[in-house]
């Protein structure tokens, strides 16, 4: 493709993307294809001769689009959002156009320095203490792995990096029963082992029971284990429960245990003064992650990872082969030493574009509106005798189920599972589920960039009507 053709197709693609945004509600939210359907439509062999970009776009529309679920639809209420916004998309275009590999300061000084400044902006926006330093990671999962590896090295005086895990003693990590599965993955990868991840029971609001954490740690210390890290969650994935940071932090600080905070979704709500209570106990935090790629309108991927002591982080990850030696080393941030991958995209540009374009007030307004919508939805659910709310509504997630009278618990679980599939198969809305105390729970997340009260009211009528007919099917 020559530059002339690139210009032509790029202009066409902007039209394509703008049309997509305008028409997004006309697509089924959840893709309706069956397994293998798309695979079978793609040729088994690559073309020998060059093909036109027009032919690619034809297949994009005809083959690929039916196999896409539409995360940017305001009728998407599933999982947690992966929100984009026009200023973020524009920055992504610039990033891919420039195509810089931002592994160290020298490979693009602007990328490193903008990243440093954006992390200061975010840190101050969510009111983490000023000694924290930040780095962009690809995902909260990677950030939590990074935290656990750093904690492992701190607890073993940086000996596992040298000698391997076999002589490290019996290392332990603690989280709650509601913690995201990325912690379990990180513990597997880190050599600590899944059996040494202690899952602390939760209270009736699904937040970690700090007294039980203390008991578990005391017992382990007596039995010769080495507590390495506690993961506290602000905004669990199931119900957005908030673990009691201060109580957990006091326990950690007494035994010198690394405290990592996973605020992947809820971290964005810390830009609202009304939600700063979640961060009470912040002085005990060693590391903290939240995802602008979830609720801060920044295209995936962009996870903001903050550490109180960057020296330990760097000491865990740094490596200095001859080909990466530079004259600026030690004077600048070489972010390849702040995590797992060496290569890095210029992700700070997206944040810069989003924050400047919305302004802090614009971001606050949007997040506040999403939380307000969730609270109105929970009132509408509470007003119906045959529905019930199954977890406190803290932020933008409402957990509920249909509960017609006269059925056993097993049957009610089946009815709700069927209700979930029927709703998703309609293509009109997309919801996912969790299980709380053995109950199949519908989860409705009202945090898509463009969701409004009108979308949620329409969704709620559909849910009610479908539920009341689904039990007869
Ligand atoms: C979404 C989520 C994660 C995983 O985020 P990725 O960036 O996709 O790795 C981890 N923890 C919590 C609480 C989450 O909600």
């Amino acid at each position: 493709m020559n530059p002339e053709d690139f210009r032509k197709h790029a202009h066409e693609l902007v039209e394509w993307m703008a049309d997509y945004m305008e028409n997004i509600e006309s697509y089924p939210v959840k893709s309706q294809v069956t397994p293998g359907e798309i695979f079978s439509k793609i040729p088994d062999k690559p073309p020998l001769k060059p093909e036109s970009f027009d032919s690619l776009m034809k297949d994009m529309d005809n083959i690929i689009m039916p196999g896409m679920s539409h995360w940017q639809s305001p009728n998407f209420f599933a999982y947690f959002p992966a929100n984009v916004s026009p200023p973020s998309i524009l920055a992504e275009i610039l990033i891919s156009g420039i195509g810089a590999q931002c592994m160290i300061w020298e490979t693009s000084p602007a990328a490193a320095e903008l990243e440093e400044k954006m992390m200061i902006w975010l840190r101050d926006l969510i009111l983490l203490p000023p000694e924290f330093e930040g780095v962009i990671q690809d995902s909260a999962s990677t950030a939590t792995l990074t935290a656990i590896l750093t904690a492992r090295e701190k607890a073993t005086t940086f000996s596992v990096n040298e000698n391997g895990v076999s002589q490290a003693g019996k290392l332990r990590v603690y989280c709650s029963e509601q913690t995201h599965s990325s912690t379990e993955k990180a513990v597997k990868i880190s050599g600590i082992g899944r059996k040494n991840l202690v899952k602390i029971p939760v209270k009736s609001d699904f937040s970690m029971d700090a007294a039980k954490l203390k008991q578990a740690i005391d017992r382990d210390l007596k039995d010769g284990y080495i507590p390495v890290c506690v993961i506290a969650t602000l905004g669990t994935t199931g119900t957005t429960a908030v673990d009691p940071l201060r109580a957990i932090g006091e326990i950690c600080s007494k035994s010198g245990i690394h405290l990592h905070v996973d605020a992947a979704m809820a971290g964005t709500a810390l830009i609202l003064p009304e939600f700063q209570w979640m961060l009470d106990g912040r002085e005990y935090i060693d590391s903290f992650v939240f995802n602008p790629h979830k609720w801060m309108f920044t295209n995936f991927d962009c996870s903001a990872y903050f550490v109180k002591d960057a020296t330990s982080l760097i000491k865990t990850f740094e490596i200095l082969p001859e080909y990466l030696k530079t004259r600026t080393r030690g004077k600048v941030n070489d972010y390849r030493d702040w995590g797992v991958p060496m290569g890095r995209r210029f992700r700070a540009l997206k944040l810069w574009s989003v924050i400047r374009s919305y302004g802090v007030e614009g971001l606050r307004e949007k997040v506040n509106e999403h939380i307000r919508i969730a609270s109105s939805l929970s009132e509408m659910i509470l007003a119906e005798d045959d529905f019930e709310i199954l977890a406190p509504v803290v932020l933008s997630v409402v957990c509920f189920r249909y509960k017609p009278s006269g059925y056993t618990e097993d049957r009610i679980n089946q009815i709700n599972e069927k209700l979930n599939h029927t709703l998703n198969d309609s293509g009109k809305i997309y919801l996912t589920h969790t299980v709380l105390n053995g109950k199949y729970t519908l989860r409705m997340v009202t945090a898509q960039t463009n969701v409004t009260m009108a979308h949620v009211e329409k969704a709620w009528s559909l849910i009610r009507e479908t539920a009341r007919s689904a039990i007869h099917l």
Side-chain angles (χ1 to χ4, degrees):
M1 192 181 292
N2 60 38
E4 208 52 23
D5 288 339
F6 171 78
R7 193 179 292 276
K8 172 176 164 289
H9 292 305
H11 280 292
E12 288 165 3
L13 279 195
V14 171
E15 290 299 320
W16 189 99
M17 287 189 284
D19 287 346
Y20 177 66
M21 282 180 206
E22 274 173 17
N23 300 325
I24 189 126
E25 288 186 62
S26 65
Y27 296 89
V29 193
K30 181 174 191 282
S31 172
Q32 307 283 306
V33 300
T34 51
E37 203 175 317
I38 309 295
F39 185 83
S40 68
K41 288 184 180 154
I42 297 166
D44 291 332
K45 297 237 155 57
L48 283 177
K49 299 268 190 289
E51 292 185 351
S52 71
F53 192 73
D54 286 335
S55 70
L56 182 104
M57 283 311 289
K58 212 170 108 246
D59 289 345
M60 180 75 197
D61 289 333
N62 296 333
I63 300 175
I64 301 299
M65 288 310 277
M68 297 306 294
S69 293
H70 299 282
W71 286 69
Q72 307 313 320
S73 165
N75 298 310
F76 181 98
F77 304 107
Y79 304 104
F80 275 147
N83 284 330
V84 308
S85 61
S88 174
I89 296 168
L90 292 176
E92 278 282 14
I93 295 173
L94 282 173
I95 294 164
S96 68
I98 296 169
Q101 215 280 42
C102 309
M103 55 190 181
I104 53 178
W105 181 88
E106 292 214 349
T107 61
S108 277
E113 295 187 11
L114 185 64
E115 182 160 337
E116 187 175 352
K117 187 69 77 161
M118 287 306 99
M119 291 298 98
I120 292 170
W121 280 16
L122 285 184
R123 177 197 71 199
D124 294 348
L125 265 180
I126 64 175
L127 292 181
L128 273 176
E131 62 267 29
F132 277 76
E133 290 183 73
V135 55
I136 301 177
Q137 304 273 351
D138 57 11
S139 64
S141 303
T142 302
T144 295
L145 172 63
T146 305
I148 287 176
L149 293 174
T150 308
R152 185 195 70 190
E153 288 313 293
K154 276 165 60 187
T156 60
T157 54
F158 294 85
S159 71
V160 175
N161 270 356
E162 293 305 318
N163 306 322
V165 84
S166 62
Q167 283 148 46
K170 302 191 285 180
L171 309 179
R172 288 283 223 200
V173 174
Y174 307 82
C175 66
S176 93
E177 286 166 347
Q178 290 287 322
T179 303
H180 189 267
S181 56
S182 53
T183 290
E184 198 163 317
K185 195 188 251 185
V187 167
K188 278 168 48 166
I189 301 169
S190 66
I192 293 172
R194 187 147 58 174
K195 279 192 186 147
N196 293 309
L197 177 62
V198 184
K199 291 190 180 173
I200 307 298
V202 293
K203 298 197 182 175
S204 62
D205 66 355
F206 303 104
S207 70
M208 189 193 286
D209 186 336
K212 299 230 165 85
L213 172 69
K214 182 163 187 311
Q215 286 165 12
I217 290 173
D218 287 347
R219 206 182 315 119
D220 278 356
L221 284 170
K222 231 188 311 121
D223 293 344
Y225 287 99
I226 304 167
V228 164
C229 187
V230 174
I231 317 288
T233 307
L234 308 184
T236 56
T237 312
T239 72
T240 59
V242 176
D243 289 342
L245 201 53
R246 176 165 297 284
I248 295 170
E250 281 166 3
I251 297 163
C252 289
S253 83
K254 238 179 239 140
S255 305
I257 304 169
H258 185 106
L259 174 57
H260 175 62
V261 174
D262 177 359
M265 173 75 181
T268 299
L270 292 170
I271 67 174
L272 300 172
E274 311 86 282
F275 286 91
Q276 269 293 315
W277 59 267
M278 296 192 290
L279 213 49
D280 177 48
R282 73 197 74 206
E283 63 272 28
Y284 296 114
I285 301 173
D286 291 295
S287 55
F288 179 100
V289 62
F290 89 103
N291 283 352
H293 70 228
K294 273 185 172 150
W295 202 9
M296 211 185 250
F297 320 110
T298 306
N299 281 52
F300 189 86
D301 53 340
C302 184
S303 271
Y305 179 57
F306 296 94
V307 292
K308 192 189 272 171
D309 171 23
T311 310
S312 299
L313 169 69
I314 294 166
K315 210 169 150 193
T316 302
F317 287 95
E318 84 182 331
I319 202 113
L320 191 59
E322 193 54 37
Y323 54 85
L324 287 175
K325 286 185 182 155
T326 60
R327 288 169 299 168
T328 52
R329 181 138 186 97
K331 294 186 225 156
V332 296
N333 286 349
D334 289 326
Y335 286 118
R336 73 173 159 85
D337 289 334
W338 295 54
V340 176
M342 181 188 75
R344 312 181 77 250
R345 308 174 61 228
F346 185 7
R347 289 171 291 215
L349 198 66
K350 295 186 274 198
L351 277 173
W352 202 33
S353 181
V354 168
I355 297 171
R356 290 177 66 168
S357 177
Y358 279 90
V360 173
E361 285 176 6
L363 292 173
R364 285 194 178 127
E365 236 164 70
K366 260 225 168 300
V367 173
N368 209 15
E369 172 69 2
H370 291 163
I371 294 170
R372 203 186 60 75
I373 292 174
S375 145
S376 305
L377 171 64
S378 79
E379 278 164 29
M380 293 193 291
I381 296 173
L382 282 169
E384 307 288 337
D385 286 343
D386 52 352
F387 280 86
E388 65 177 348
I389 299 270
L390 294 176
V393 178
V394 186
L395 294 163
S396 50
V397 176
V398 183
C399 291
F400 66 98
R401 68 172 178 170
Y402 179 46
K403 189 172 183 286
S405 56
Y407 293 90
T408 63
E409 275 295 314
D410 275 356
R411 185 71 188 118
I412 287 174
N413 279 346
Q414 285 168 7
I415 289 170
N416 279 281
E417 184 171 358
K418 182 163 185 185
L419 173 60
N420 194 6
H421 295 320
T422 308
L423 290 166
N424 291 345
D425 290 347
S426 79
K428 290 179 184 154
I429 62 174
Y430 187 3
L431 295 181
T432 46
H433 81 284
T434 185
V435 173
L436 299 173
N437 298 322
K439 297 170 185 166
Y440 189 98
T441 304
L442 299 170
R443 246 175 108 262
M444 190 148 162
V445 186
T446 60
Q448 208 287 320
T449 308
N450 298 309
V451 70
T452 64
M453 199 57 225
H455 292 104
V456 170
E457 277 166 2
K458 221 167 116 193
W460 174 232
S461 320
L462 180 73
I463 294 167
R464 258 180 352 207
E465 283 159 27
T466 312
R468 286 169 187 162
S469 59
I471 51 165
H472 306 298
L473 297 178

